[in-house]
Amino acid sequence: GAGTTAEWYIISITQSRGEDVSAYRNALERYLEENAVSSATSREKYALALIAAGDGSPYITETLDNSIGQQGIMSWIYGLHILNNGYTCGSYTADQVADMLLTLQYPDGGWALFGDYGDIDVTAMTLQALAPFVPYRGDVQAVRGVSFHVNKGEIVGLVGESGSGKSVTCMSMLRLVPDTAEVDKDSSVLFEGSDLTRIRGRQMRDIRGEKIAMIFQDPMSSLNPLIPVGKQVSEMIAIHHPEKSKEERKQETLSLFEAVRIPEPEKRYSSYPHEFSGGMRQRIMIAMALANHPDLLIADEPTTALDVTIQDQILKQLRGLRRDYQTSIIFITHDLGVVAELCDRVEVLYGGLIMEEARIDDLFDSPRHPYTLGLLSSIPSVTQDRTRRLKPIPGSPPDMTNPPRGCPFAPRCPYARRICAEALPEFTTIGAEHRSRCWLLDPEAPASNNPFRTESEGQN
């Protein structure tokens, strides 16, 4: 049994504490020579054990030359180097990190050495100042200083046109943006006291799907077309609960299928994504997101392109999730009708900024931003005169490679003043949970052509 995972853990720990491991090293070298180990996994394991024992350079070189577990090996070399030289690892000492090795099941990645494995309870989230993307033609400042919170069991809607920064805000929170994206070093995503922008990759993977889950916008591009849907949902459970048997995972998956009202779940377990309708594929994505009962669910336009009947069923499932598990939900959409039916509070985004934040009743009864007024007036009504045309918002969203200096909505705003194009307004507080970023709310703003003030107020 020389060279097993448990033994090379022991070797690394004894080496870090200055104990003699020559007997282990000799046994491992003999084992490699006499048994002609050819398995990539085994050679990597023995090479790492020899490094921990202080003399594995020929084997590690061979392993790297053959690209066997290169990323994992390099990270573990670094971790063991820290142990063997008595350095600290963040707030941990070498001995503490060595003790952590005993709690790990597998050596994949190695960066688990540097994480804090404390539990994270989701009750609130704060997001600040997510910064630019870097494409070939210049920086795209996709999100600029967004800040909001989500309470336990609350459903918060992110509303705005395409390109306003809704999806990229949430993708940045989960660190799912591409390598060309940069998040400002002063940004923070607080998840019950832990900053998601600061934690290591392995720990982030433990949070995704377990503590925070996401329903992506396009189920057909999110599901693997070559793998049965049951196996894809079951995989979510297996990643975070490896102790569960294959049969247990299957039964939990079938229960999820029943919960999201997929007919004949036993039969559908082995079906492929192309065998489902758009609405059914979206239900599979919801089942996958709910597999581990997350504390926070991010739903990125889950009802887009679905007919009203299916849309209503999905909204009922999201409300049931909040009712049964006290799950917090961030609901991304451009449909204010859906927001009115589902959400408790709304963040209205435009040009990478939050323009207005309000409780759902306040937003519809007393909107306090011209962009919100435009969104509301563009909603068709079943009671309106059929001869009356819909009222769209004229113009186009701003170019975020060169965002405007002032209010990003100013070029499209029918009430804009000169100052709107020159300076970005700060938030004005309207009520306990209602604020808006608009110069028209300034006490000095004239009442003329101002939808938020009357002439009598202007005279006073």
Side-chain angles (χ1 to χ4, degrees):
T4 62
T5 303
E7 289 194 12
W8 76 258
Y9 281 156
I10 293 169
I11 291 170
S12 64
I13 292 168
T14 54
Q15 177 69 9
S16 72
R17 295 172 180 172
E19 299 175 18
D20 182 17
V21 291
S22 58
Y24 287 107
R25 183 180 66 238
N26 294 335
L28 287 168
E29 287 178 338
R30 284 198 305 273
Y31 191 85
L32 281 170
E33 292 170 3
E34 293 171 5
N35 294 278
V37 176
S38 58
S39 160
T41 304
S42 297
R43 289 200 69 81
E44 176 179 339
K45 185 191 302 179
Y46 296 132
L48 284 167
L50 287 167
I51 290 169
D55 185 20
S57 56
Y59 300 101
I60 193 62
T61 301
E62 180 183 347
T63 305
L64 291 176
D65 287 344
N66 290 281
S67 299
I68 301 172
Q70 188 165 349
Q71 181 180 356
I73 286 177
M74 290 306 295
S75 56
W76 277 79
I77 290 173
Y78 183 53
L80 293 172
H81 171 77
I82 287 178
L83 290 176
N84 293 335
N85 288 277
Y87 296 122
T88 59
C89 181
S91 59
Y92 297 97
T93 65
D95 279 358
Q96 286 173 326
V97 176
D99 289 334
M100 288 174 64
L101 279 169
L102 290 173
T103 69
L104 303 179
Q105 292 181 325
Y106 302 103
D108 59 333
W111 295 118
L113 284 170
F114 312 112
D116 179 359
Y117 274 74
D119 292 334
I120 300 176
D121 297 324
V122 181
T123 57
M125 174 176 288
T126 302
L127 182 65
Q128 297 174 340
L130 291 169
F133 278 64
V134 188
Y136 68 93
R137 64 188 183 93
D139 292 357
V140 176
Q141 298 184 44
V143 182
R144 305 182 291 155
V146 168
S147 180
F148 66 95
H149 68 279
V150 183
N151 297 319
K152 184 73 175 176
E154 186 179 33
I155 303 179
V156 174
L158 299 188
V159 179
E161 294 173 79
S162 297
S164 59
K166 308 182 300 295
S167 296
V168 75
T169 294
C170 293
M171 297 285 273
S172 300
M173 286 158 50
L174 288 175
R175 286 163 53 181
L176 293 175
V177 289
D179 294 337
T180 53
E182 296 177 0
V183 177
D184 189 271
K185 60 183 173 68
D186 295 325
S187 299
S188 62
V189 180
L190 303 181
F191 204 62
E192 186 59 21
S194 295
D195 188 351
L196 301 187
T197 66
R198 304 289 186 266
I199 65 176
R200 298 286 180 175
R202 168 68 182 270
Q203 195 176 358
M204 193 69 220
R205 289 195 298 272
D206 290 342
I207 291 174
R208 290 192 208 109
E210 174 76 8
K211 296 287 185 180
I212 308 175
M214 187 165 185
I215 303 170
F216 293 96
Q217 192 167 346
D218 183 3
M220 197 58 196
S221 62
S222 302
L223 293 168
N224 190 323
L226 304 178
I227 300 176
V229 294
K231 187 174 181 181
Q232 294 188 57
V233 176
S234 177
E235 184 182 30
M236 282 292 293
I237 302 170
I239 288 171
H240 296 284
H241 298 281
E243 75 281 358
K244 293 185 177 180
S245 67
K246 184 177 180 180
E247 184 58 30
E248 285 177 317
R249 296 196 301 268
K250 180 177 180 179
Q251 291 306 315
E252 288 188 24
T253 301
L254 293 176
S255 297
L256 286 166
F257 282 2
E258 290 177 0
V260 297
R261 299 184 181 180
I262 293 175
E264 301 179 287
E266 188 79 39
K267 178 182 176 182
R268 288 301 202 171
Y269 184 90
S270 303
S271 298
Y272 289 85
H274 71 271
E275 299 179 273
F276 290 81
S277 66
M280 285 297 174
R281 282 195 292 266
Q282 194 62 276
R283 294 182 195 204
I284 295 294
M285 292 300 299
I286 294 173
M288 192 178 296
L290 303 186
N292 296 301
H293 304 303
D295 295 300
L296 175 67
L297 176 66
I298 300 171
D300 189 357
E301 302 201 35
T303 58
T304 299
L306 301 179
D307 62 66
V308 232
T309 308
I310 302 299
Q311 185 180 99
D312 182 61
Q313 292 174 357
I314 287 175
L315 294 181
K316 284 179 180 176
Q317 288 165 6
L318 293 178
R319 283 194 294 269
L321 179 66
R322 189 255 294 269
R323 181 189 62 245
D324 297 338
Y325 300 105
Q326 274 295 291
T327 300
S328 304
I329 299 174
I330 297 176
F331 191 88
I332 302 170
T333 184
H334 58 267
D335 188 340
L336 279 171
V338 172
V339 165
E341 188 177 345
L342 181 69
C343 298
D344 303 309
R345 192 159 44 85
V346 187
E347 312 284 342
V348 180
L349 274 75
Y350 184 81
L353 296 167
I354 290 178
M355 308 310 289
E356 184 169 8
E357 177 185 54
R359 302 294 299 177
I360 191 67
D361 293 338
D362 292 337
L363 190 84
F364 280 83
D365 294 342
S366 182
R368 283 295 181 268
H369 196 282
Y371 181 55
T372 310
L373 290 175
L375 292 176
L376 290 169
S377 62
S378 64
I379 300 175
S381 168
V382 292
T383 60
Q384 74 182 37
D385 183 356
R386 293 187 179 184
T387 62
R388 196 186 75 175
R389 297 180 64 86
L390 290 176
K391 188 178 178 183
I393 301 174
S396 301
D399 178 5
M400 299 311 292
T401 59
N402 184 27
R405 181 174 56 180
C407 174
F409 189 62
R412 306 173 69 185
C413 180
Y415 312 108
R417 271 58 167 173
R418 180 185 301 172
I419 192 174
C420 298
E422 294 175 350
L424 182 68
E426 296 296 327
F427 278 108
T428 298
T429 301
I430 296 115
E433 294 183 271
H434 192 179
R435 60 178 187 158
S436 178
R437 191 192 292 272
C438 184
W439 283 115
L440 297 174
L441 298 173
D442 189 278
E444 301 299 320
S448 175
N449 195 33
N450 188 336
F452 310 127
R453 301 190 69 186
T454 63
E455 291 291 342
S456 59
E457 287 176 322
Q459 292 169 3
N460 294 334

